[in-house]
Amino acid sequence: MHNNRLLVFQCNQKDKIIEHFMNLLIQIVLAIPCFYVLCNFCFRYLTSSGGIGNKNNSSEIINKVFVFSLTCVLIFITGFRSRDGLSFDYGNYESIYYGFKDLSWKETISNGKGEILFSLLYKICGEITNYNIVPFMFIIAVATIIPIMKYFSNESCNPWISVLLLLTIGSFWTCFNTSRQYLAAAMYISTYKHIKEKNFFKYLLLVLLISFVHISTIVMLPFYWLLNIHWDFRRRAGKSLGLLCFITIGVLFSTRIIKSLVPPALFTVELMRDHNSPVQLIRPLSVLVLLFFNLRNMNFENRKDLFLFNSTFFYFVIFCMTLSFKIFQRWSYFVVFPTLIAVPNIISRIKSKDTRFFYYIIFMILPIAYAVGTLSKTTFTFFWD
């Protein structure tokens, strides 16, 4: 344990009282969104004439309160986590952070390897806090979570279901180990508007700027065109479905062929040698199936609907690539957020109240079951533990 951490808990009576108080506070705050989900879901289904998925002024206010409360909880958990449990890479960030202490400002920029903005954030935060890692991780948590939750609040018909999907099948907890790339993905949300408006110049500028945080963002340049592919499932359903299958099968087999041809010794990164289980495909596939079953409720002349569908499809395609190279899962972060708002936005358009109820139950039970199966043995600790 480093001496310069904000809080150091000793095994005395006073600190035990503080620790119990903090644990109680966390439980109370966590109970707020859970209580909201239960009450709001039951109230909308049992009493609202419009049923689940329809907005009114009171529900929007409640949604904003929910988003705000859970934003605070996630920032607290993410910003004050320790290196144990989920945060395997915490020690790497810590050692790199302390390494900037002996670098000049000129060396900080030159050693950034293209990721100048993140290097400057290291240096500025370090100089202000005497290189205490906790404030730095808290800043990263704030900069990551606020854009995501704001996007859900503004774009999702039911933010709580989008947040639930984020915390279960949305790869949120991987941000504990991929903080820089997840931060870049959160910043990438600012480009969604320019993709839908077909403003390539602004999109290009933002992608280049975000690449100074994580260089992998450059890979997203072609997605300006990919996320604007137009589908016509009404008049040219056969051709559209054929192209979807061709892209999926082509990506699936090409990645496998590449992996079989390249000698394993050239894969210096463990994630390049490793691969995901086919079970992981359930996550994007479930959302894609929902969209296909409800194509009649989508208008592909509408830029927003087209963007949601393409994001979901390429989220699935990227996961197909992870069956050969697990490292590609990191690029799914850039398109996962539209996928998570596609679920409530499409379900809300279903006319049948009972059908809406059925879909919501499915997209509550299955993600929670998936999360329990994959995260039940994972431990989490705060930096003071």
Side-chain angles (χ1 to χ4, degrees):
M1 181 177 292
H2 294 280
N3 294 328
N4 62 345
R5 289 186 175 177
L6 288 177
L7 297 174
V8 180
F9 282 84
Q10 305 291 337
C11 293
N12 55 49
Q13 188 64 26
K14 181 180 178 181
D15 292 335
K16 283 293 182 183
I17 293 175
I18 296 175
E19 186 173 0
H20 287 310
F21 172 76
M22 293 301 298
N23 289 333
L24 178 62
L25 179 63
I26 293 170
Q27 292 175 27
I28 292 174
V29 176
L30 283 174
I32 293 174
C34 294
F35 180 75
Y36 162 79
V37 167
L38 178 63
C39 293
N40 190 46
F41 185 82
C42 293
F43 176 79
R44 288 192 180 195
Y45 182 69
L46 296 176
T47 66
S48 173
S49 59
I52 302 169
N54 292 325
K55 282 191 173 183
N56 52 53
N57 291 334
S58 61
S59 68
E60 287 191 12
I61 293 174
I62 295 174
N63 282 338
K64 290 185 182 298
V65 172
F66 163 71
V67 170
F68 175 78
S69 63
L70 198 56
T71 299
C72 295
V73 172
L74 293 179
I75 289 175
F76 184 87
I77 292 174
T78 308
F80 293 136
R81 70 187 188 274
S82 75
R83 66 169 64 192
D84 300 321
L86 289 169
S87 304
F88 304 114
D89 282 351
Y90 194 99
N92 293 334
Y93 288 113
E94 203 170 15
S95 60
I96 295 172
Y97 185 57
Y98 295 143
F100 278 86
K101 188 174 184 178
D102 300 324
L103 297 179
S104 65
W105 288 95
K106 184 177 180 180
E107 290 172 331
T108 297
I109 296 174
S110 61
N111 291 345
K113 297 179 180 179
E115 298 168 343
I116 301 173
L117 287 181
F118 205 80
S119 298
L120 287 175
L121 180 60
Y122 267 133
K123 186 67 175 177
I124 294 171
C125 187
E127 292 295 321
I128 294 175
T129 65
N130 195 25
Y131 289 90
N132 188 323
I133 189 65
V134 176
F136 175 77
M137 299 307 288
F138 183 81
I139 291 172
I140 297 301
V142 170
T144 301
I145 293 170
I146 287 181
I148 297 172
M149 301 299 280
K150 183 180 178 181
Y151 179 66
F152 287 162
S153 179
N154 293 338
E155 300 292 336
S156 179
C157 288
N158 281 302
W160 63 266
I161 195 71
S162 296
V163 173
L164 174 66
L165 295 174
L166 174 71
L167 300 180
T168 51
I169 63 174
S171 302
F172 173 77
W173 304 108
T174 60
C175 77
F176 284 16
N177 292 313
T178 57
S179 298
R180 283 192 306 119
Q181 194 155 16
Y182 216 89
L183 171 61
M187 295 173 67
Y188 184 75
I189 291 174
S190 62
T191 69
Y192 293 167
K193 175 184 177 182
H194 305 304
I195 294 174
K196 289 180 282 189
E197 293 178 354
K198 289 190 173 183
N199 191 327
F200 178 71
F201 180 70
K202 289 184 178 180
Y203 178 81
L204 175 63
L205 289 180
L206 283 173
V207 168
L208 292 177
L209 179 64
I210 299 170
S211 69
F212 291 138
V213 173
H214 202 288
I215 196 66
S216 67
T217 313
I218 293 292
V219 177
M220 299 307 295
L221 279 176
F223 277 76
Y224 172 82
W225 294 281
L226 293 176
L227 295 177
N228 273 313
I229 294 177
H230 189 271
W231 309 97
D232 189 350
F233 289 102
R234 294 181 180 177
R235 290 177 295 181
R236 300 177 181 177
K239 290 183 178 180
S240 297
L241 288 173
L243 182 57
L244 286 171
C245 294
F246 176 78
I247 293 174
T248 304
I249 295 172
V251 167
L252 189 62
F253 280 96
S254 61
T255 50
R256 293 194 172 220
I257 292 172
I258 291 172
K259 188 167 187 176
S260 64
L261 294 177
V262 178
L266 295 180
F267 295 135
T268 57
V269 181
E270 180 64 29
L271 289 174
M272 290 297 289
R273 293 192 294 268
D274 198 7
H275 58 86
N276 269 337
S277 166
V279 177
Q280 295 277 357
L281 285 179
I282 294 176
R283 295 154 63 182
L285 187 59
S286 60
V287 183
L288 193 61
V289 169
L290 168 70
L291 298 190
F292 271 113
F293 280 179
N294 293 277
L295 284 175
R296 64 183 179 276
N297 293 319
M298 300 186 71
N299 177 16
F300 287 94
E301 298 301 324
N302 182 295
R303 304 299 307 170
K304 184 176 178 179
D305 281 10
L306 182 65
F307 177 72
L308 293 181
F309 180 84
N310 284 336
S311 297
T312 303
F313 172 65
F314 283 103
Y315 180 55
F316 171 72
V317 169
I318 292 172
F319 261 85
C320 289
M321 298 169 71
T322 67
L323 297 180
S324 297
F325 303 104
K326 189 174 182 179
I327 197 169
F328 282 115
Q329 182 176 338
R330 297 189 176 198
W331 278 273
S332 69
Y333 305 160
F334 293 95
V335 290
V336 65
F337 309 122
T339 303
L340 301 182
I341 72 166
V343 173
N345 286 14
I346 297 304
I347 294 177
S348 67
R349 301 178 188 179
I350 299 174
K351 294 181 179 180
S352 170
K353 190 176 181 179
D354 292 332
T355 305
R356 287 201 305 272
F357 182 78
F358 170 77
Y359 275 122
Y360 270 111
I361 290 295
I362 291 296
F363 277 94
M364 288 175 66
I365 294 177
L366 290 182
I368 291 174
Y370 177 88
V372 169
T374 55
L375 296 173
S376 58
K377 296 182 179 179
T378 304
T379 58
F380 176 86
T381 57
F382 290 104
F383 72 91
W384 57 74
D385 290 336

